[in-house]
Amino acid sequence: MFKIVGVINYLIVVFLNAFTDLGHKIIIQNTIFKVYDGELQIILTAIVNALILLPFILLFSPSGFLADRFAKSAIMKYSSALAVVVTLLITYFYYQGWFYSAFFMTFMLALQSAIYSPAKYGYIKELVGLKFISLGNGAVQAVTTIAILSGIIFYTVLFEISLADNFQTKEDVLKAIAPLGWLLVLGSLIEWFLASNLPNMMVEASQKKFNFKRYIRAEYLQKNIKTIKRNKEIFDAILALSLFWSISQVVLAIFGEFAKGELGITNAIYVQGAMAMAGFGIIAGSFLAAAFSKYYVNSGVATIGALGVTIIVFVIPSCESILSLVLLFALFGIFSGFIMVPLNSLIQLKAPRVHLGIILAGNNFVQNIFMVSFLLLTTLFAFFGTSAISLFYLMSLVGAYLSFILLRRYFVISFWALVEMLLKIRYRFRYEGLENIPKSGGVLLLGNHVSWIDWAIIQIPIERRINFMIDKDIYNNRFFNIVLRKGSLIPISKKASNGAFKEASKRLKNGKIVALFPEGRISPDGELGEFYKGYEFISSDYDGSICTFFIDGMQGSIFSKKREFKFFTKRDVVVYLGKPVCRDTKSQEVRDIIKNLKDEHET
């Protein structure tokens, strides 16, 4: 992906945009931290965050229109030019000590980001294509997080150095740190220069026109809301992201008061540094989520991320040391990456090109409606004396609800995501010939059987859910039956197999993938045994084919018949997948094909 022309340039532009926006926010937020205490500190911090979010609500329709109407590279170019003007004004206000003017410029800087955002995310799909969409989102999320992380550390350290203890009022603070404004200007200038050189990836110019009267009458708003609600999977992903970002915003808004009031921490470097550790976590989490979405967008990873975030938010109030908070924020970041990458990728993947800008702007709109609402509630709770600890526990309840809705929607794929994560602790999987598995139609999947987890190894890279035929005694086991019933398995026994074969035939006719192991047992020595002819009783009257696989490398693992324990090394496992063959191919011929798969791929 990184060899594609424009990718590196684009990622640097993304970095600089986030770095500059974050820089001004940190300066204002640290000023509030230094000058104010208690409820007023929480309220002002919440207002700063709200000023950043409001433009994304107000410019929902215009930003979506611009991203669909014009080249996204051009939108980024002119948005970054606007940032140069805004940062120059911010620097002037710093030197004058005009706190409220600089405070308001947070809104203006966010205004250009609101215009920029749909174009930025829509450009990923245009630049890297569907093949790298998860990796592209992972890279953008990681780069954005690095920008936020480095911005927090960079501007907080310079803030503390510039300020020292020589201040009494908020005006004194701004005048002391005023030279930092020139760094904001420099970042905007470099961003503008690089954005001007991004390749135009627009395939066909749009003829859309924007009617300001319709915008004022909220007609665009109603139409665009209908557009993003049209695809339920997209809208559910937007709602899930909105809840996650709402939790994150509240946590960021209240953590300063928690650290200061409960732990006695008054140095902004420690407070911002602890929260910045979430940035390191997001970088790791984003690339891990992209790795788990190597073969398809793995939405099940988001469920695991939501459960992790919920637990972390619940545990934070019980921490009494900065070191434990650092660790928790790092974990919070990892789980955040698990949520953001797959859900953002899913939205971009499912959105039609003609409405991509509107849907991405709608994503921003709904998220920011949620975040502003949560910040207003935080301000209200703080006004009436609710402690930061109570707000943490309240957010953990919201996290529990987020986990519930994701688990309900993605239960099966969440199970497979968890299985994949656990297996990859001990195994490295490689798949050869994956393109041989048809994207649609009935598929009878046959292969060798060398371990207790062959079913999981085969399912990992295939987005379509496989209907495995499984021993009836295992299927009816009271400990496994609840989960197995959710997995669309087909129970079979040697004494009564006709019903199972009829069910398999029915599912193949419905375009499903049905898999079984013709050996009927796990190989005791790793060698390919004789095949039972039972699968030949499955009707070949379906629109599809037989596909074959050969698993190599599991012999000797803890899950095989003959075990060789290796505690500190990962086991390399290769799965070879053969080309589709005629659906009435006999068992001996299928066995010969499977036996020769490895040799065919390695020659």
Side-chain angles (χ1 to χ4, degrees):
M1 183 191 79
F2 296 102
K3 294 180 181 179
I4 297 173
V5 176
V7 167
I8 300 299
N9 199 12
Y10 164 68
L11 292 175
I12 296 173
V13 169
V14 169
F15 173 88
L16 289 171
N17 182 264
F19 188 80
T20 301
D21 286 1
L22 194 280
H24 174 61
K25 176 193 172 185
I26 287 298
I27 289 170
I28 294 297
Q29 202 162 281
N30 284 345
T31 302
I32 293 169
F33 179 78
K34 288 291 185 181
V35 177
Y36 298 99
D37 295 297
E39 290 80 9
L40 186 56
Q41 182 190 126
I42 292 178
I43 291 170
L44 288 174
T45 303
I47 292 173
V48 169
N49 286 305
L51 287 175
I52 294 171
L53 304 176
L54 279 172
F56 290 90
I57 297 172
L58 299 174
L59 295 182
F60 166 32
S61 296
S63 63
F65 165 80
L66 291 171
D68 285 334
R69 173 66 175 83
F70 301 102
K72 294 173 179 60
S73 55
I75 300 297
M76 289 187 278
K77 171 185 173 181
Y78 291 113
S79 295
S80 56
L82 177 60
V84 175
V85 177
V86 174
T87 51
L88 282 169
L89 283 171
I90 287 171
T91 304
Y92 176 74
F93 294 149
Y94 286 172
Y95 276 101
Q96 299 302 313
W98 295 350
F99 175 76
Y100 291 109
S101 296
F103 194 90
F104 173 73
M105 292 308 287
T106 306
F107 176 84
M108 294 303 297
L109 203 56
L111 203 66
Q112 67 86 26
S113 289
I115 298 171
Y116 168 95
S117 184
K120 174 183 77 173
Y121 283 104
Y123 195 65
I124 299 172
K125 187 176 180 179
E126 292 183 354
L127 187 62
V128 305
L130 297 179
K131 181 179 179 181
F132 296 113
I133 194 166
S134 290
L135 181 57
N137 274 279
V140 167
Q141 196 59 63
V143 166
T144 303
T145 305
I146 292 170
I148 293 171
L149 175 63
S150 55
I152 289 173
I153 296 172
F154 183 77
Y155 282 102
T156 299
V157 170
L158 290 181
F159 180 92
E160 289 285 350
I161 292 173
S162 302
L163 186 61
D165 292 320
N166 187 25
F167 72 94
Q168 292 182 335
T169 66
K170 54 187 177 295
E171 289 77 15
D172 294 337
V173 173
L174 283 189
K175 289 179 181 180
I177 57 85
L180 298 183
W182 294 113
L183 295 175
L184 300 177
V185 175
L186 179 62
S188 297
L189 281 169
I190 298 172
E191 178 193 347
W192 172 61
F193 172 77
L194 293 174
S196 301
N197 292 285
L198 288 173
N200 181 356
M201 305 301 295
M202 195 171 198
V203 178
E204 183 179 352
S206 171
Q207 300 303 315
K208 289 184 178 180
K209 293 183 180 179
F210 190 80
N211 187 312
F212 189 73
K213 289 182 179 179
R214 292 185 66 190
Y215 170 60
I216 294 298
R217 292 196 297 263
E219 291 179 21
Y220 281 129
L221 176 62
Q222 296 174 42
K223 179 183 176 182
N224 294 339
I225 288 293
K226 288 180 181 177
T227 300
I228 64 175
K229 291 178 71 175
R230 194 171 295 155
N231 186 313
K232 193 174 187 305
E233 191 170 8
I234 289 177
F235 191 63
D236 285 352
I238 289 173
L239 290 178
L241 282 168
S242 300
L243 284 171
F244 159 70
W245 280 115
S246 299
I247 295 168
S248 300
Q249 284 294 315
V250 174
V251 168
L252 293 176
I254 64 179
F255 180 68
E257 168 56 21
F258 169 76
K260 195 173 185 178
E262 301 296 328
L263 303 180
I265 300 172
T266 57
N267 191 314
I269 293 177
Y270 292 126
V271 175
Q272 298 291 354
M275 290 190 289
M277 288 306 299
F280 285 111
I282 289 175
I283 295 167
S286 296
F287 282 112
L288 281 172
F292 290 123
S293 294
K294 180 179 179 180
Y295 305 105
Y296 57 89
V297 176
N298 193 339
S299 48
V301 174
T303 305
I304 296 169
L307 289 168
V309 163
T310 301
I311 294 169
I312 298 301
V313 174
F314 182 79
V315 171
I316 284 176
S318 63
C319 288
E320 297 181 352
S321 72
I322 192 68
L323 289 177
S324 58
L325 286 170
V326 165
L327 175 61
L328 286 175
F329 271 104
L331 290 172
F332 182 90
I334 290 173
F335 290 122
S336 297
F338 282 8
I339 297 172
M340 290 184 286
V341 170
L343 293 184
N344 278 318
S345 298
L346 188 68
I347 292 168
Q348 294 165 28
L349 183 68
K350 298 293 183 180
R353 181 180 290 272
V354 68
H355 295 309
L356 181 60
I358 288 295
I359 288 173
L360 292 177
N363 184 26
N364 287 334
F365 175 78
V366 176
Q367 286 180 27
N368 286 281
I369 286 285
F370 269 73
M371 287 189 279
V372 169
S373 300
F374 271 65
L375 288 172
L376 287 175
L377 287 172
T378 300
T379 304
L380 188 63
F381 279 122
F383 181 78
F384 287 105
T386 305
S387 69
I389 290 178
S390 298
L391 290 171
F392 270 114
Y393 288 133
L394 186 60
M395 287 305 100
S396 68
L397 290 176
V398 178
Y401 176 68
L402 170 61
S403 303
F404 169 74
I405 62 174
L406 285 174
L407 188 62
R408 183 177 60 183
R409 181 170 184 83
Y410 301 119
F411 178 82
V412 174
I413 196 170
S414 298
F415 168 78
W416 285 109
L418 180 61
V419 168
E420 181 178 356
M421 288 180 184
L422 293 174
L423 290 182
K424 284 188 173 180
I425 296 173
R426 296 286 295 127
Y427 301 95
R428 276 187 296 265
F429 299 111
R430 180 164 60 89
Y431 297 88
E432 298 287 347
L434 193 57
E435 68 281 359
N436 293 326
I437 302 296
K439 300 296 183 183
S440 60
V443 176
L444 182 58
L445 197 56
L446 306 173
N448 65 327
H449 200 8
V450 287
S451 75
W452 290 104
I453 59 170
D454 292 341
W455 50 275
I457 295 170
I458 295 300
Q459 180 66 84
I460 284 173
I462 300 175
E463 184 173 9
R464 299 172 66 189
R465 294 301 98 189
I466 299 175
N467 296 245
F468 287 95
M469 301 190 76
I470 183 174
D471 185 272
K472 193 171 184 178
D473 291 336
I474 298 176
Y475 183 84
N476 289 330
N477 185 289
R478 61 176 180 172
F479 297 109
F480 303 138
N481 185 250
I482 295 176
V483 175
L484 294 179
R485 275 187 295 158
K486 291 280 187 179
S488 301
L489 301 175
I490 303 173
I492 185 172
S493 67
K494 293 180 180 179
K495 295 180 180 179
S497 57
N498 287 339
F501 290 139
K502 286 180 180 179
E503 179 62 25
S505 299
K506 179 182 175 182
R507 297 192 191 186
L508 287 167
K509 287 180 181 179
N510 289 331
K512 304 292 186 181
I513 299 179
V514 174
L516 61 86
F517 303 101
E519 292 170 274
R521 61 169 186 167
I522 296 175
S523 172
D525 55 8
E527 296 298 322
L528 192 63
E530 292 302 316
F531 277 19
Y532 286 99
K533 297 182 179 181
Y535 82 85
E536 295 179 10
F537 290 99
I538 297 175
S539 172
S540 59
D541 184 23
Y542 63 91
D543 183 18
S545 57
I546 290 176
C547 287
T548 54
F549 63 86
F550 180 83
I551 301 173
D552 184 39
M554 283 302 294
Q555 180 63 18
S557 77
I558 192 174
F559 296 106
S560 66
K561 288 287 188 178
K562 187 178 180 181
R563 300 176 180 86
E564 299 171 2
F565 294 103
K566 295 180 180 180
F567 293 103
F568 302 107
T569 58
K570 278 192 172 185
R571 182 177 291 273
D572 290 303
V573 178
V574 184
V575 180
Y576 302 94
L577 297 116
K579 294 179 180 179
V581 298
C582 182
R583 54 184 176 269
D584 57 3
T585 305
K586 301 302 180 183
S587 59
Q588 186 56 46
E589 187 177 350
V590 168
R591 182 183 181 280
D592 292 339
I593 292 171
I594 293 171
K595 187 176 182 180
N596 295 325
L597 273 179
K598 181 178 179 181
D599 293 335
E600 288 178 6
H601 279 280
E602 291 185 347
T603 54

